[in-house]
Amino acid sequence: MNLDLLTAVTIFVLSVLVGFEVISKVPATLHTPLMSGANSIHGIVLIGAMLVTSLADEPLEYALAFVAVAFGAMNVVGGYVVTDRMLHMFRARPTPGGAKGGAAK
């Protein structure tokens, strides 16, 4: 194992631990907005995967790049779907009979 790989594995393990600690401290009411925002930011990973794909030369590299692009795209789309679902939860529901609801003045 060379030093570059050891450094990359160390950074990955530390980022997993920090991410777990940060997510576990977030209140349940803020979980959905945090996750949807984080998934939308995951588009950066998608761009990185596309850049890596442009440098691929061998079939294994193409396969790994394809998997990275596919998973990155699924995460971005999932982030937008979760955000849309969350925003639907805050919309006013129609009342029976078409009467508009609202706060009393």
Side-chain angles (χ1 to χ4, degrees), residues 2-85:
N2 62 15
L3 186 59
D4 291 337
L5 181 60
L6 183 64
T7 303
V9 170
T10 303
I11 290 172
F12 177 74
V13 169
L14 289 176
S15 66
V16 167
L17 292 174
V18 169
F20 181 77
E21 285 297 317
V22 168
I23 295 298
S24 65
K25 302 289 188 259
V26 173
T29 55
L30 295 178
H31 233 257
T32 302
L34 177 68
M35 291 306 294
S36 63
N39 286 336
S40 298
I41 292 172
H42 205 82
I44 295 170
V45 173
L46 181 60
I47 292 172
M50 288 190 290
L51 289 174
V52 169
T53 303
S54 69
L55 301 175
D57 291 331
E58 298 177 12
L60 178 62
E61 292 174 346
Y62 281 119
L64 290 175
F66 174 76
V67 170
V69 169
F71 284 164
M74 284 190 295
N75 204 3
V76 169
V77 171
Y80 284 114
V81 169
V82 168
T83 301
D84 186 54
R85 183 176 170 199

Side-chain angles (χ1 to χ4, degrees), residues 78-102:
Y80 284 114
V81 169
V82 168
T83 301
D84 186 54
R85 183 176 170 199
M86 179 188 68
L87 292 176
H88 278 283
M89 291 172 25
F90 293 109
R91 288 189 181 151
R93 294 184 179 153
T95 58
K100 289 188 173 185

